[in-house]
Amino acid sequence: MAAITIDATGVGYLAYLPWLLLCSLLVSIIDVWCRKNYFADHPYEPAGNGRVVLYTCVSYYLSMEEQLKKPAAAC
């Protein structure tokens, strides 16, 4: 949209740059504020420590590796 505006009006990009940065910063702040309020009612409960997650990932990888080693069933 910015490129179309610059091309259609003939105004230089550097004239629009401060306004584009201001708009993007303003929208980002509003988005963070809205998301913070939206998730405020939902408490954060971690699933476990890093070792549990690592163990789960390694177990899944090893089980997939075993499945790949098995010969394919004949059709």
Side-chain angles (χ1 to χ4, degrees):
M1 189 162 96
I4 293 172
T5 305
I6 291 168
D7 188 45
T9 60
V11 177
Y13 178 71
L14 292 178
Y16 281 116
L17 185 61
W19 293 105
L20 293 171
L21 291 174
L22 177 68
C23 289
S24 64
L25 181 66
L26 183 64
V27 168
S28 297
I29 289 171
I30 291 171
D31 183 54
V32 167
W33 182 73
C34 289
R35 291 293 126 199
K36 186 185 91 170
N37 290 340
Y38 180 76
F39 289 110
D41 298 335
H42 307 287
Y44 173 70
E45 299 173 7
N49 59 16
R51 292 181 186 205
V52 172
V53 174
L54 179 63
Y55 175 77
T56 305
C57 292
V58 170
S59 299
Y60 179 74
Y61 175 76
L62 291 176
S63 68
M64 293 302 293
E65 198 173 68
E66 291 173 7
Q67 292 292 328
L68 291 174
K69 288 181 182 177
K70 290 182 181 178
C75 293

